[in-house]
Amino acid sequence: MKIAIIGQGAIAAYVVEAIAKDPAIEFAALICRTESLERARKFAGKGVAVVTEIDQISPKPDVAVDCAGHGGLAQHGAAALSAGIDVVTISTGALADADLALRLEDAARSGGARLKLLSGAIGGVDVLRAANAGKLDSVTYVGRKPPTGWKGSAAEEMCNLDGLSEPFTHFSGTAREAALKYPKNANVAATVALAGPGLDQTGVELIADPGAAGNIHEVRASGEFGEMQIRISGKALATNPRSSALAAMSVVAELRERVKAVSI
C-alpha cells in the first residue's frame, strides 16, 4: 500500500517512523507547502516524492494521510478524494465547516473514494457508532486540560489562565460551536459527535483545570443501548507537547488495519 502524507510535523514524523519497517506499507510521497519544500525534502529522505499538490504524485498513492490539521485537509482533501484516493484524517473538527464537509463528501462520491475519520485522542467511538444505530438520548464530551494547554485559544478571552486556582469552564455549547471556536483543541469533540448523534446534538464542556496533570477526555452517553462513561488521561508525544500520542497512534493503527487480511 503506497501512502502520501500531508504535513511534516510531530504526528507525521511518528507515523513515518512507525511504518518504516512494515513491508506492506510504502511512504511514497510527502505533500507540503511551497515555502517548506527544502525542509520537506530533508524530512522525507531518499526515494520519497515531495510535492505541493496531490496531482503531482505519479503513480497515485492508495491513501493520503492527513497529518497537517484542518488547513491540510481543507487544501488537499477534496483533490485526493476526487482522484479516487482514500483520505484518512484526525482533523475531524474541520467538518464543523458545513461547506467543507459537503465539498469533501461530494469529492468522495465523485471519485469513488472514502474519507475516514480516525478516533484520534479519544476512545469509545465504536460504542457510540453502534449505539447510534438505535436511539441515543444524550451524548456529552468534557475536555479538561491544565491552563497552559488552552493558551493561544479562545479560552484566553474568558479568563486569566495564569491566575486560575480552581477549575474554570470556559466553553459550554455544541460540538459544532466548539470545533469552530477551538479549531486546534476540539477535534475530539467533533469525533465524538460524528460517531454519535451529530455536531449540533452533542454537548461539550471545555475546562481549564490547574489540578489536571494532563489532557483529560470524558464521554458520557445514554440511550437505548444503556449507558457509557469513559475517561482517558492522554499523554503528549515526546517530540511535541501539543500533539496527542494516542492521536498519532490511531493513524498508524488505521494504516496497519488496511493491509491486514482480517481486520477489527
PDB file of all heavy atoms in Angstrom, residues 154-195:
ATOM      1  N   ALA A 154      -9.420  30.431  22.380  1.00  0.00           N
ATOM      2  CA  ALA A 154     -10.464  31.364  22.807  1.00  0.00           C
ATOM      3  C   ALA A 154     -10.640  31.396  24.320  1.00  0.00           C
ATOM      4  O   ALA A 154     -11.273  32.318  24.847  1.00  0.00           O
ATOM      5  CB  ALA A 154     -11.790  30.993  22.142  1.00  0.00           C
ATOM      6  N   ALA A 155     -10.064  30.428  25.021  1.00  0.00           N
ATOM      7  CA  ALA A 155     -10.157  30.425  26.490  1.00  0.00           C
ATOM      8  C   ALA A 155      -9.540  31.673  27.093  1.00  0.00           C
ATOM      9  O   ALA A 155      -9.969  32.134  28.162  1.00  0.00           O
ATOM     10  CB  ALA A 155      -9.476  29.176  27.047  1.00  0.00           C
ATOM     11  N   GLU A 156      -8.534  32.233  26.433  1.00  0.00           N
ATOM     12  CA  GLU A 156      -7.860  33.421  26.951  1.00  0.00           C
ATOM     13  C   GLU A 156      -8.781  34.631  26.993  1.00  0.00           C
ATOM     14  O   GLU A 156      -8.528  35.579  27.740  1.00  0.00           O
ATOM     15  CB  GLU A 156      -6.629  33.731  26.099  1.00  0.00           C
ATOM     16  CG  GLU A 156      -5.529  32.683  26.230  1.00  0.00           C
ATOM     17  CD  GLU A 156      -4.279  33.035  25.464  1.00  0.00           C
ATOM     18  OE1 GLU A 156      -4.414  33.435  24.279  1.00  0.00           O
ATOM     19  OE2 GLU A 156      -3.174  32.920  26.011  1.00  0.00           O
ATOM     20  N   GLU A 157      -9.859  34.585  26.191  1.00  0.00           N
ATOM     21  CA  GLU A 157     -10.827  35.687  26.194  1.00  0.00           C
ATOM     22  C   GLU A 157     -11.801  35.560  27.364  1.00  0.00           C
ATOM     23  O   GLU A 157     -12.482  36.526  27.710  1.00  0.00           O
ATOM     24  CB  GLU A 157     -11.617  35.688  24.883  1.00  0.00           C
ATOM     25  CG  GLU A 157     -10.750  35.809  23.635  1.00  0.00           C
ATOM     26  CD  GLU A 157     -11.552  35.552  22.374  1.00  0.00           C
ATOM     27  OE1 GLU A 157     -12.800  35.460  22.467  1.00  0.00           O
ATOM     28  OE2 GLU A 157     -10.931  35.437  21.298  1.00  0.00           O
ATOM     29  N   MET A 158     -11.855  34.378  27.974  1.00  0.00           N
ATOM     30  CA  MET A 158     -12.856  34.108  29.015  1.00  0.00           C
ATOM     31  C   MET A 158     -12.294  34.205  30.429  1.00  0.00           C
ATOM     32  O   MET A 158     -13.047  34.402  31.376  1.00  0.00           O
ATOM     33  CB  MET A 158     -13.435  32.698  28.807  1.00  0.00           C
ATOM     34  CG  MET A 158     -14.033  32.464  27.427  1.00  0.00           C
ATOM     35  SD  MET A 158     -15.428  33.554  27.088  1.00  0.00           S
ATOM     36  CE  MET A 158     -16.585  32.983  28.320  1.00  0.00           C
ATOM     37  N   CYS A 159     -10.985  34.048  30.561  1.00  0.00           N
ATOM     38  CA  CYS A 159     -10.402  34.060  31.904  1.00  0.00           C
ATOM     39  C   CYS A 159      -8.909  34.334  31.825  1.00  0.00           C
ATOM     40  O   CYS A 159      -8.311  34.279  30.750  1.00  0.00           O
ATOM     41  CB  CYS A 159     -10.649  32.716  32.612  1.00  0.00           C
ATOM     42  SG  CYS A 159      -9.824  31.324  31.805  1.00  0.00           S
ATOM     43  N   ASN A 160      -8.330  34.618  32.987  1.00  0.00           N
ATOM     44  CA  ASN A 160      -6.875  34.766  33.098  1.00  0.00           C
ATOM     45  C   ASN A 160      -6.303  33.380  33.391  1.00  0.00           C
ATOM     46  O   ASN A 160      -6.345  32.904  34.528  1.00  0.00           O
ATOM     47  CB  ASN A 160      -6.531  35.751  34.217  1.00  0.00           C
ATOM     48  CG  ASN A 160      -5.029  35.859  34.447  1.00  0.00           C
ATOM     49  OD1 ASN A 160      -4.235  35.357  33.659  1.00  0.00           O
ATOM     50  ND2 ASN A 160      -4.644  36.516  35.534  1.00  0.00           N
ATOM     51  N   LEU A 161      -5.794  32.723  32.379  1.00  0.00           N
ATOM     52  CA  LEU A 161      -5.329  31.353  32.535  1.00  0.00           C
ATOM     53  C   LEU A 161      -4.207  31.237  33.564  1.00  0.00           C
ATOM     54  O   LEU A 161      -4.095  30.225  34.256  1.00  0.00           O
ATOM     55  CB  LEU A 161      -4.875  30.797  31.176  1.00  0.00           C
ATOM     56  CG  LEU A 161      -5.984  30.559  30.146  1.00  0.00           C
ATOM     57  CD1 LEU A 161      -5.393  30.232  28.783  1.00  0.00           C
ATOM     58  CD2 LEU A 161      -6.916  29.433  30.598  1.00  0.00           C
ATOM     59  N   ASP A 162      -3.384  32.258  33.648  1.00  0.00           N
ATOM     60  CA  ASP A 162      -2.259  32.213  34.591  1.00  0.00           C
ATOM     61  C   ASP A 162      -2.696  32.411  36.039  1.00  0.00           C
ATOM     62  O   ASP A 162      -1.943  32.079  36.961  1.00  0.00           O
ATOM     63  CB  ASP A 162      -1.218  33.281  34.229  1.00  0.00           C
ATOM     64  CG  ASP A 162      -0.519  32.987  32.914  1.00  0.00           C
ATOM     65  OD1 ASP A 162      -0.284  31.797  32.642  1.00  0.00           O
ATOM     66  OD2 ASP A 162      -0.226  33.934  32.166  1.00  0.00           O
ATOM     67  N   GLY A 163      -3.916  32.915  36.225  1.00  0.00           N
ATOM     68  CA  GLY A 163      -4.358  33.226  37.587  1.00  0.00           C
ATOM     69  C   GLY A 163      -5.362  32.264  38.160  1.00  0.00           C
ATOM     70  O   GLY A 163      -5.893  32.505  39.254  1.00  0.00           O
ATOM     71  N   LEU A 164      -5.644  31.161  37.480  1.00  0.00           N
ATOM     72  CA  LEU A 164      -6.666  30.230  37.958  1.00  0.00           C
ATOM     73  C   LEU A 164      -6.175  29.424  39.160  1.00  0.00           C
ATOM     74  O   LEU A 164      -5.063  28.901  39.168  1.00  0.00           O
ATOM     75  CB  LEU A 164      -7.065  29.258  36.843  1.00  0.00           C
ATOM     76  CG  LEU A 164      -7.865  29.835  35.664  1.00  0.00           C
ATOM     77  CD1 LEU A 164      -8.145  28.741  34.648  1.00  0.00           C
ATOM     78  CD2 LEU A 164      -9.170  30.450  36.145  1.00  0.00           C
ATOM     79  N   SER A 165      -7.040  29.316  40.171  1.00  0.00           N
ATOM     80  CA  SER A 165      -6.732  28.499  41.338  1.00  0.00           C
ATOM     81  C   SER A 165      -7.704  27.325  41.471  1.00  0.00           C
ATOM     82  O   SER A 165      -7.540  26.467  42.333  1.00  0.00           O
ATOM     83  CB  SER A 165      -6.781  29.345  42.613  1.00  0.00           C
ATOM     84  OG  SER A 165      -8.061  29.943  42.766  1.00  0.00           O
ATOM     85  N   GLU A 166      -8.727  27.288  40.599  1.00  0.00           N
ATOM     86  CA  GLU A 166      -9.702  26.201  40.598  1.00  0.00           C
ATOM     87  C   GLU A 166     -10.197  26.001  39.169  1.00  0.00           C
ATOM     88  O   GLU A 166      -9.998  26.860  38.306  1.00  0.00           O
ATOM     89  CB  GLU A 166     -10.873  26.513  41.524  1.00  0.00           C
ATOM     90  CG  GLU A 166     -11.614  27.778  41.187  1.00  0.00           C
ATOM     91  CD  GLU A 166     -12.686  28.095  42.200  1.00  0.00           C
ATOM     92  OE1 GLU A 166     -12.537  27.701  43.377  1.00  0.00           O
ATOM     93  OE2 GLU A 166     -13.676  28.746  41.819  1.00  0.00           O
ATOM     94  N   PRO A 167     -10.844  24.868  38.875  1.00  0.00           N
ATOM     95  CA  PRO A 167     -11.305  24.602  37.511  1.00  0.00           C
ATOM     96  C   PRO A 167     -12.262  25.686  37.011  1.00  0.00           C
ATOM     97  O   PRO A 167     -13.118  26.171  37.762  1.00  0.00           O
ATOM     98  CB  PRO A 167     -12.025  23.254  37.643  1.00  0.00           C
ATOM     99  CG  PRO A 167     -11.400  22.615  38.832  1.00  0.00           C
ATOM    100  CD  PRO A 167     -11.093  23.724  39.782  1.00  0.00           C
ATOM    101  N   PHE A 168     -12.105  26.052  35.736  1.00  0.00           N
ATOM    102  CA  PHE A 168     -12.958  27.073  35.129  1.00  0.00           C
ATOM    103  C   PHE A 168     -13.479  26.552  33.793  1.00  0.00           C
ATOM    104  O   PHE A 168     -12.696  26.196  32.909  1.00  0.00           O
ATOM    105  CB  PHE A 168     -12.176  28.366  34.909  1.00  0.00           C
ATOM    106  CG  PHE A 168     -12.988  29.469  34.282  1.00  0.00           C
ATOM    107  CD1 PHE A 168     -13.840  30.254  35.054  1.00  0.00           C
ATOM    108  CD2 PHE A 168     -12.927  29.717  32.917  1.00  0.00           C
ATOM    109  CE1 PHE A 168     -14.601  31.259  34.481  1.00  0.00           C
ATOM    110  CE2 PHE A 168     -13.681  30.713  32.330  1.00  0.00           C
ATOM    111  CZ  PHE A 168     -14.520  31.492  33.114  1.00  0.00           C
ATOM    112  N   THR A 169     -14.809  26.498  33.657  1.00  0.00           N
ATOM    113  CA  THR A 169     -15.429  26.067  32.402  1.00  0.00           C
ATOM    114  C   THR A 169     -15.529  27.269  31.473  1.00  0.00           C
ATOM    115  O   THR A 169     -16.356  28.158  31.694  1.00  0.00           O
ATOM    116  CB  THR A 169     -16.825  25.469  32.664  1.00  0.00           C
ATOM    117  OG1 THR A 169     -16.703  24.354  33.556  1.00  0.00           O
ATOM    118  CG2 THR A 169     -17.462  25.004  31.355  1.00  0.00           C
ATOM    119  N   HIS A 170     -14.688  27.301  30.462  1.00  0.00           N
ATOM    120  CA  HIS A 170     -14.655  28.464  29.573  1.00  0.00           C
ATOM    121  C   HIS A 170     -15.487  28.275  28.315  1.00  0.00           C
ATOM    122  O   HIS A 170     -15.654  29.207  27.526  1.00  0.00           O
ATOM    123  CB  HIS A 170     -13.211  28.827  29.196  1.00  0.00           C
ATOM    124  CG  HIS A 170     -12.410  27.680  28.651  1.00  0.00           C
ATOM    125  ND1 HIS A 170     -12.443  27.305  27.342  1.00  0.00           N
ATOM    126  CD2 HIS A 170     -11.539  26.835  29.270  1.00  0.00           C
ATOM    127  CE1 HIS A 170     -11.625  26.286  27.150  1.00  0.00           C
ATOM    128  NE2 HIS A 170     -11.063  25.971  28.304  1.00  0.00           N
ATOM    129  N   PHE A 171     -16.033  27.053  28.124  1.00  0.00           N
ATOM    130  CA  PHE A 171     -16.942  26.840  26.996  1.00  0.00           C
ATOM    131  C   PHE A 171     -17.985  25.813  27.372  1.00  0.00           C
ATOM    132  O   PHE A 171     -17.678  24.763  27.948  1.00  0.00           O
ATOM    133  CB  PHE A 171     -16.197  26.359  25.754  1.00  0.00           C
ATOM    134  CG  PHE A 171     -17.129  26.031  24.607  1.00  0.00           C
ATOM    135  CD1 PHE A 171     -17.554  27.026  23.735  1.00  0.00           C
ATOM    136  CD2 PHE A 171     -17.624  24.744  24.437  1.00  0.00           C
ATOM    137  CE1 PHE A 171     -18.443  26.734  22.706  1.00  0.00           C
ATOM    138  CE2 PHE A 171     -18.510  24.446  23.411  1.00  0.00           C
ATOM    139  CZ  PHE A 171     -18.918  25.448  22.543  1.00  0.00           C
ATOM    140  N   SER A 172     -19.231  26.095  27.012  1.00  0.00           N
ATOM    141  CA  SER A 172     -20.324  25.148  27.142  1.00  0.00           C
ATOM    142  C   SER A 172     -21.259  25.367  25.964  1.00  0.00           C
ATOM    143  O   SER A 172     -21.793  26.467  25.786  1.00  0.00           O
ATOM    144  CB  SER A 172     -21.067  25.353  28.468  1.00  0.00           C
ATOM    145  OG  SER A 172     -22.126  24.418  28.601  1.00  0.00           O
ATOM    146  N   GLY A 173     -21.414  24.354  25.142  1.00  0.00           N
ATOM    147  CA  GLY A 173     -22.240  24.511  23.943  1.00  0.00           C
ATOM    148  C   GLY A 173     -22.267  23.219  23.154  1.00  0.00           C
ATOM    149  O   GLY A 173     -22.144  22.124  23.721  1.00  0.00           O
ATOM    150  N   THR A 174     -22.421  23.333  21.835  1.00  0.00           N
ATOM    151  CA  THR A 174     -22.483  22.152  20.975  1.00  0.00           C
ATOM    152  C   THR A 174     -21.095  21.818  20.429  1.00  0.00           C
ATOM    153  O   THR A 174     -20.175  22.643  20.457  1.00  0.00           O
ATOM    154  CB  THR A 174     -23.433  22.373  19.789  1.00  0.00           C
ATOM    155  OG1 THR A 174     -22.858  23.366  18.909  1.00  0.00           O
ATOM    156  CG2 THR A 174     -24.809  22.833  20.257  1.00  0.00           C
ATOM    157  N   ALA A 175     -20.976  20.623  19.904  1.00  0.00           N
ATOM    158  CA  ALA A 175     -19.707  20.195  19.315  1.00  0.00           C
ATOM    159  C   ALA A 175     -19.348  21.042  18.101  1.00  0.00           C
ATOM    160  O   ALA A 175     -18.171  21.330  17.870  1.00  0.00           O
ATOM    161  CB  ALA A 175     -19.791  18.723  18.925  1.00  0.00           C
ATOM    162  N   ARG A 176     -20.339  21.446  17.328  1.00  0.00           N
ATOM    163  CA  ARG A 176     -20.042  22.297  16.168  1.00  0.00           C
ATOM    164  C   ARG A 176     -19.471  23.638  16.621  1.00  0.00           C
ATOM    165  O   ARG A 176     -18.469  24.123  16.081  1.00  0.00           O
ATOM    166  CB  ARG A 176     -21.299  22.523  15.316  1.00  0.00           C
ATOM    167  CG  ARG A 176     -20.982  23.297  14.006  1.00  0.00           C
ATOM    168  CD  ARG A 176     -22.237  23.623  13.207  1.00  0.00           C
ATOM    169  NE  ARG A 176     -22.999  22.454  12.854  1.00  0.00           N
ATOM    170  CZ  ARG A 176     -22.724  21.673  11.798  1.00  0.00           C
ATOM    171  NH1 ARG A 176     -21.697  21.960  11.015  1.00  0.00           N
ATOM    172  NH2 ARG A 176     -23.477  20.627  11.528  1.00  0.00           N
ATOM    173  N   GLU A 177     -20.104  24.231  17.615  1.00  0.00           N
ATOM    174  CA  GLU A 177     -19.612  25.513  18.128  1.00  0.00           C
ATOM    175  C   GLU A 177     -18.201  25.371  18.688  1.00  0.00           C
ATOM    176  O   GLU A 177     -17.341  26.231  18.465  1.00  0.00           O
ATOM    177  CB  GLU A 177     -20.566  26.025  19.217  1.00  0.00           C
ATOM    178  CG  GLU A 177     -21.937  26.429  18.701  1.00  0.00           C
ATOM    179  CD  GLU A 177     -22.952  26.613  19.815  1.00  0.00           C
ATOM    180  OE1 GLU A 177     -22.747  26.074  20.923  1.00  0.00           O
ATOM    181  OE2 GLU A 177     -23.980  27.280  19.568  1.00  0.00           O
ATOM    182  N   ALA A 178     -17.951  24.281  19.395  1.00  0.00           N
ATOM    183  CA  ALA A 178     -16.628  24.059  19.980  1.00  0.00           C
ATOM    184  C   ALA A 178     -15.570  23.893  18.903  1.00  0.00           C
ATOM    185  O   ALA A 178     -14.474  24.468  18.988  1.00  0.00           O
ATOM    186  CB  ALA A 178     -16.653  22.822  20.877  1.00  0.00           C
ATOM    187  N   ALA A 179     -15.880  23.120  17.872  1.00  0.00           N
ATOM    188  CA  ALA A 179     -14.910  22.871  16.813  1.00  0.00           C
ATOM    189  C   ALA A 179     -14.585  24.135  16.031  1.00  0.00           C
ATOM    190  O   ALA A 179     -13.440  24.344  15.610  1.00  0.00           O
ATOM    191  CB  ALA A 179     -15.430  21.789  15.879  1.00  0.00           C
ATOM    192  N   LEU A 180     -15.580  24.985  15.835  1.00  0.00           N
ATOM    193  CA  LEU A 180     -15.350  26.232  15.102  1.00  0.00           C
ATOM    194  C   LEU A 180     -14.612  27.259  15.958  1.00  0.00           C
ATOM    195  O   LEU A 180     -13.773  28.011  15.457  1.00  0.00           O
ATOM    196  CB  LEU A 180     -16.686  26.812  14.625  1.00  0.00           C
ATOM    197  CG  LEU A 180     -17.408  26.014  13.534  1.00  0.00           C
ATOM    198  CD1 LEU A 180     -18.791  26.607  13.272  1.00  0.00           C
ATOM    199  CD2 LEU A 180     -16.594  25.981  12.242  1.00  0.00           C
ATOM    200  N   LYS A 181     -14.895  27.275  17.262  1.00  0.00           N
ATOM    201  CA  LYS A 181     -14.282  28.272  18.140  1.00  0.00           C
ATOM    202  C   LYS A 181     -12.896  27.847  18.611  1.00  0.00           C
ATOM    203  O   LYS A 181     -12.039  28.692  18.894  1.00  0.00           O
ATOM    204  CB  LYS A 181     -15.191  28.501  19.349  1.00  0.00           C
ATOM    205  CG  LYS A 181     -14.818  29.718  20.189  1.00  0.00           C
ATOM    206  CD  LYS A 181     -15.895  30.028  21.218  1.00  0.00           C
ATOM    207  CE  LYS A 181     -15.565  31.302  21.980  1.00  0.00           C
ATOM    208  NZ  LYS A 181     -16.625  31.639  22.966  1.00  0.00           N
ATOM    209  N   TYR A 182     -12.674  26.531  18.693  1.00  0.00           N
ATOM    210  CA  TYR A 182     -11.397  25.997  19.166  1.00  0.00           C
ATOM    211  C   TYR A 182     -10.828  25.026  18.125  1.00  0.00           C
ATOM    212  O   TYR A 182     -10.738  23.824  18.362  1.00  0.00           O
ATOM    213  CB  TYR A 182     -11.582  25.253  20.485  1.00  0.00           C
ATOM    214  CG  TYR A 182     -12.014  26.112  21.641  1.00  0.00           C
ATOM    215  CD1 TYR A 182     -13.346  26.502  21.805  1.00  0.00           C
ATOM    216  CD2 TYR A 182     -11.094  26.527  22.607  1.00  0.00           C
ATOM    217  CE1 TYR A 182     -13.746  27.284  22.869  1.00  0.00           C
ATOM    218  CE2 TYR A 182     -11.486  27.302  23.687  1.00  0.00           C
ATOM    219  CZ  TYR A 182     -12.812  27.681  23.806  1.00  0.00           C
ATOM    220  OH  TYR A 182     -13.215  28.457  24.872  1.00  0.00           O
ATOM    221  N   PRO A 183     -10.443  25.524  16.951  1.00  0.00           N
ATOM    222  CA  PRO A 183     -10.036  24.626  15.863  1.00  0.00           C
ATOM    223  C   PRO A 183      -8.827  23.758  16.183  1.00  0.00           C
ATOM    224  O   PRO A 183      -8.671  22.692  15.596  1.00  0.00           O
ATOM    225  CB  PRO A 183      -9.738  25.586  14.704  1.00  0.00           C
ATOM    226  CG  PRO A 183      -9.490  26.907  15.349  1.00  0.00           C
ATOM    227  CD  PRO A 183     -10.379  26.938  16.549  1.00  0.00           C
ATOM    228  N   LYS A 184      -7.976  24.179  17.115  1.00  0.00           N
ATOM    229  CA  LYS A 184      -6.795  23.385  17.452  1.00  0.00           C
ATOM    230  C   LYS A 184      -7.002  22.523  18.682  1.00  0.00           C
ATOM    231  O   LYS A 184      -6.114  21.769  19.065  1.00  0.00           O
ATOM    232  CB  LYS A 184      -5.587  24.298  17.676  1.00  0.00           C
ATOM    233  CG  LYS A 184      -5.143  25.048  16.422  1.00  0.00           C
ATOM    234  CD  LYS A 184      -3.913  25.889  16.694  1.00  0.00           C
ATOM    235  CE  LYS A 184      -3.455  26.617  15.437  1.00  0.00           C
ATOM    236  NZ  LYS A 184      -2.248  27.449  15.684  1.00  0.00           N
ATOM    237  N   ASN A 185      -8.170  22.611  19.298  1.00  0.00           N
ATOM    238  CA  ASN A 185      -8.387  21.925  20.572  1.00  0.00           C
ATOM    239  C   ASN A 185      -9.614  21.029  20.613  1.00  0.00           C
ATOM    240  O   ASN A 185      -9.808  20.328  21.607  1.00  0.00           O
ATOM    241  CB  ASN A 185      -8.516  22.955  21.704  1.00  0.00           C
ATOM    242  CG  ASN A 185      -7.286  23.837  21.850  1.00  0.00           C
ATOM    243  OD1 ASN A 185      -7.186  24.879  21.221  1.00  0.00           O
ATOM    244  ND2 ASN A 185      -6.336  23.414  22.666  1.00  0.00           N
ATOM    245  N   ALA A 186     -10.460  21.060  19.599  1.00  0.00           N
ATOM    246  CA  ALA A 186     -11.753  20.383  19.727  1.00  0.00           C
ATOM    247  C   ALA A 186     -11.992  19.297  18.676  1.00  0.00           C
ATOM    248  O   ALA A 186     -13.129  18.963  18.376  1.00  0.00           O
ATOM    249  CB  ALA A 186     -12.888  21.406  19.679  1.00  0.00           C
ATOM    250  N   ASN A 187     -10.912  18.713  18.125  1.00  0.00           N
ATOM    251  CA  ASN A 187     -11.098  17.593  17.207  1.00  0.00           C
ATOM    252  C   ASN A 187     -11.801  16.433  17.897  1.00  0.00           C
ATOM    253  O   ASN A 187     -12.619  15.740  17.292  1.00  0.00           O
ATOM    254  CB  ASN A 187      -9.748  17.119  16.662  1.00  0.00           C
ATOM    255  CG  ASN A 187      -9.237  17.981  15.529  1.00  0.00           C
ATOM    256  OD1 ASN A 187     -10.005  18.477  14.719  1.00  0.00           O
ATOM    257  ND2 ASN A 187      -7.935  18.171  15.476  1.00  0.00           N
ATOM    258  N   VAL A 188     -11.473  16.204  19.170  1.00  0.00           N
ATOM    259  CA  VAL A 188     -12.081  15.092  19.901  1.00  0.00           C
ATOM    260  C   VAL A 188     -13.583  15.301  20.040  1.00  0.00           C
ATOM    261  O   VAL A 188     -14.377  14.370  19.860  1.00  0.00           O
ATOM    262  CB  VAL A 188     -11.434  14.925  21.285  1.00  0.00           C
ATOM    263  CG1 VAL A 188     -12.182  13.884  22.101  1.00  0.00           C
ATOM    264  CG2 VAL A 188      -9.973  14.520  21.141  1.00  0.00           C
ATOM    265  N   ALA A 189     -14.001  16.516  20.334  1.00  0.00           N
ATOM    266  CA  ALA A 189     -15.427  16.809  20.455  1.00  0.00           C
ATOM    267  C   ALA A 189     -16.160  16.496  19.156  1.00  0.00           C
ATOM    268  O   ALA A 189     -17.257  15.914  19.164  1.00  0.00           O
ATOM    269  CB  ALA A 189     -15.630  18.279  20.829  1.00  0.00           C
ATOM    270  N   ALA A 190     -15.547  16.867  18.038  1.00  0.00           N
ATOM    271  CA  ALA A 190     -16.167  16.604  16.739  1.00  0.00           C
ATOM    272  C   ALA A 190     -16.213  15.104  16.449  1.00  0.00           C
ATOM    273  O   ALA A 190     -17.192  14.599  15.891  1.00  0.00           O
ATOM    274  CB  ALA A 190     -15.404  17.340  15.644  1.00  0.00           C
ATOM    275  N   THR A 191     -15.171  14.384  16.824  1.00  0.00           N
ATOM    276  CA  THR A 191     -15.144  12.938  16.601  1.00  0.00           C
ATOM    277  C   THR A 191     -16.262  12.253  17.375  1.00  0.00           C
ATOM    278  O   THR A 191     -16.981  11.403  16.838  1.00  0.00           O
ATOM    279  CB  THR A 191     -13.781  12.364  17.035  1.00  0.00           C
ATOM    280  OG1 THR A 191     -12.747  12.988  16.273  1.00  0.00           O
ATOM    281  CG2 THR A 191     -13.732  10.865  16.811  1.00  0.00           C
ATOM    282  N   VAL A 192     -16.420  12.620  18.635  1.00  0.00           N
ATOM    283  CA  VAL A 192     -17.487  12.058  19.457  1.00  0.00           C
ATOM    284  C   VAL A 192     -18.849  12.354  18.824  1.00  0.00           C
ATOM    285  O   VAL A 192     -19.718  11.478  18.727  1.00  0.00           O
ATOM    286  CB  VAL A 192     -17.420  12.635  20.885  1.00  0.00           C
ATOM    287  CG1 VAL A 192     -18.674  12.289  21.686  1.00  0.00           C
ATOM    288  CG2 VAL A 192     -16.169  12.124  21.599  1.00  0.00           C
ATOM    289  N   ALA A 193     -19.027  13.582  18.367  1.00  0.00           N
ATOM    290  CA  ALA A 193     -20.308  13.990  17.791  1.00  0.00           C
ATOM    291  C   ALA A 193     -20.628  13.234  16.510  1.00  0.00           C
ATOM    292  O   ALA A 193     -21.760  12.779  16.303  1.00  0.00           O
ATOM    293  CB  ALA A 193     -20.291  15.492  17.522  1.00  0.00           C
ATOM    294  N   LEU A 194     -19.639  13.093  15.632  1.00  0.00           N
ATOM    295  CA  LEU A 194     -19.880  12.456  14.333  1.00  0.00           C
ATOM    296  C   LEU A 194     -20.038  10.944  14.467  1.00  0.00           C
ATOM    297  O   LEU A 194     -20.683  10.312  13.627  1.00  0.00           O
ATOM    298  CB  LEU A 194     -18.758  12.809  13.363  1.00  0.00           C
ATOM    299  CG  LEU A 194     -18.759  14.278  12.932  1.00  0.00           C
ATOM    300  CD1 LEU A 194     -17.499  14.623  12.146  1.00  0.00           C
ATOM    301  CD2 LEU A 194     -20.002  14.612  12.107  1.00  0.00           C
ATOM    302  N   ALA A 195     -19.468  10.359  15.513  1.00  0.00           N
ATOM    303  CA  ALA A 195     -19.712   8.941  15.781  1.00  0.00           C
ATOM    304  C   ALA A 195     -21.090   8.738  16.379  1.00  0.00           C
ATOM    305  O   ALA A 195     -21.680   7.659  16.263  1.00  0.00           O
ATOM    306  CB  ALA A 195     -18.650   8.396  16.738  1.00  0.00           C
TER     307      ALA A 195
END
